[in-house]
């Protein structure tokens, strides 16, 4: 259940997120993965996460105690830390013509040096795609996630002067891994944080080994970081 996974973000209570506390990329990634489950598609482009949460403070589904109150509370606590709260949303897939299953966006640091590309978990119509991913080299939704990432790279003019982090939870974690392994812009990706993301078929792994050679394959897999609960598959 989502509640158990969300508890990872609470660790030591509110003190974890105090202003001045240094938090890791992995922790920031998990917070942003949580944001994706707000299913809030009306967020204004180019505004900080803290401001988005302020907009939702009295919304009945969020700060008002409704269906997304748990996720909202975690995000509100995390956004006290400026490393989280100052991150600016952009490139929302819903505004770029992608289907509802391909739910993604970017979060960028105020100085624009760090860019997080964040994928939501399983969306509308994606459950069959999860199974297909264990039997084929690539799936339709993985390819759409790849298309989104490469469009973002071009639109934001990302280069070696940026630190690019790709992340997602569950199906989103699988997409983040796929993008890291498959994208022609793979060298621009500095790290991938996959939270409970499934892996790939043997065919996919064999293709990557053939495509990149052992050294290139290990260079890409070396960027993959898996965050998993005990006893998860």
């Amino acid at each position: 259940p989502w509640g158990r996974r969300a508890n990872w973000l609470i660790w030591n209570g509110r003190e974890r997120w105090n202003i001045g506390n240094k938090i890791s990329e992995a922790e920031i990634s998990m917070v942003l993965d949580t944001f994706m489950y707000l299913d809030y598609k009306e967020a204004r482009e180019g505004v900080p996460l803290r401001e988005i949460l302020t907009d939702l403070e009295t919304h009945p589904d969020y700060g008002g105690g409704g269906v997304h109150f748990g996720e909202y509370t975690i995000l509100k606590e995390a956004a006290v830390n400026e490393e989280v709260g100052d991150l600016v949303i952009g490139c929302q897939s819903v505004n770029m013509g992608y289907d509802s299953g391909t739910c993604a966006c970017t979060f960028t640091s105020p100085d624009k040096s760090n860019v997080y590309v964040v994928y939501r978990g399983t969306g509308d119509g994606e459950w069959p795609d999860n199974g297909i991913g264990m039997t084929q080299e690539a799936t339709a939704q993985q390819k759409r996630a790849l298309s989104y990432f490469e469009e973002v790279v071009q639109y934001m003019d990302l280069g070696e002067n940026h630190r690019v982090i790709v992340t997602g939870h569950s199906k989103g974690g699988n997409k983040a891994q796929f993008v890291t392994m498959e994208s022609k812009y793979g060298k621009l990706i500095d790290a991938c944080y996959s939270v409970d993301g499934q892996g790939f078929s043997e065919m996919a792994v064999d293709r990557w080994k053939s495509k990149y050679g052992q050294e290139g394959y290990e260079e890409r897999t070396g960027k993959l970081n898996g965050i998993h609960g005990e006893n998860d598959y």
Side-chain angles (χ1 to χ4, degrees):
W2 169 248
R4 176 173 66 84
R5 293 192 286 267
N7 284 338
W8 293 352
L9 296 170
I10 298 175
W11 290 297
N12 299 314
R14 290 180 174 85
E15 294 302 315
R16 180 66 186 129
W17 306 111
N18 277 352
I19 294 174
N21 282 3
K22 185 68 177 176
I23 59 177
S24 69
E25 281 183 354
E27 291 170 326
I28 294 173
S29 295
M30 293 172 74
V31 171
L32 299 180
D33 293 340
T34 302
F35 173 84
M36 303 306 290
Y37 287 97
L38 291 183
D39 288 330
Y40 182 58
K41 299 178 175 62
E42 294 80 27
R44 289 172 291 141
E45 293 272 331
V47 302
L49 176 59
R50 184 183 296 107
E51 191 171 328
I52 296 172
L53 297 175
T54 299
D55 290 344
L56 297 176
E57 195 164 9
T58 59
H59 192 293
D61 288 342
Y62 302 100
V67 63
H68 293 299
F69 181 72
E71 294 97 327
Y72 176 85
T73 300
I74 290 168
L75 289 160
K76 191 73 172 176
E77 292 175 1
V80 170
N81 190 299
E82 61 185 14
E83 287 190 75
V84 176
D86 289 349
L87 291 171
V88 175
I89 195 170
C91 294
Q92 295 174 84
S93 58
V94 68
N95 299 329
M96 296 170 64
Y98 286 88
D99 64 292
S100 58
T102 307
C103 184
C105 69
T106 62
F107 280 95
T108 307
S109 59
D111 64 2
K112 300 184 180 180
S113 61
N114 295 338
V115 179
Y116 290 84
V117 181
V118 192
Y119 292 94
R120 188 196 187 279
T122 304
D124 295 341
E126 285 197 310
W127 281 110
D129 199 79
N130 290 330
I132 293 170
M134 300 308 295
T135 61
Q136 295 183 12
E137 290 183 356
T139 72
Q141 291 303 111
Q142 288 170 342
K143 291 176 182 178
R144 288 178 184 140
L146 176 65
S147 174
Y148 168 81
F149 175 77
E150 295 187 343
E151 187 172 348
V152 165
V153 169
Q154 295 170 23
Y155 177 77
M156 297 185 68
D157 194 22
L158 298 182
E160 294 182 357
N161 56 321
H162 297 95
R163 181 164 180 82
V164 180
I165 302 101
V166 187
T167 185
H169 167 261
S170 191
K171 179 71 168 178
N174 174 264
K175 290 176 178 178
Q177 293 177 80
F178 182 82
V179 165
T180 303
M181 294 301 299
E182 185 69 20
S183 178
K184 62 185 178 183
Y185 299 117
K187 289 189 179 296
L188 296 180
I189 298 174
D190 293 282
C192 168
Y193 295 99
S194 169
V195 184
D196 268 340
Q198 74 181 51
F200 301 96
S201 68
E202 291 183 5
M203 290 181 291
V205 172
D206 289 342
R207 187 175 70 83
W208 285 323
K209 287 181 176 179
S210 175
K211 180 178 180 180
Y212 303 126
Q214 190 62 32
E215 183 177 349
Y217 175 79
E218 291 178 1
E219 180 182 352
R220 294 220 179 199
T221 56
K223 298 178 181 181
L224 304 181
N225 300 276
I227 303 170
H228 307 279
E230 187 176 5
N231 297 324
D232 281 350
Y233 289 115

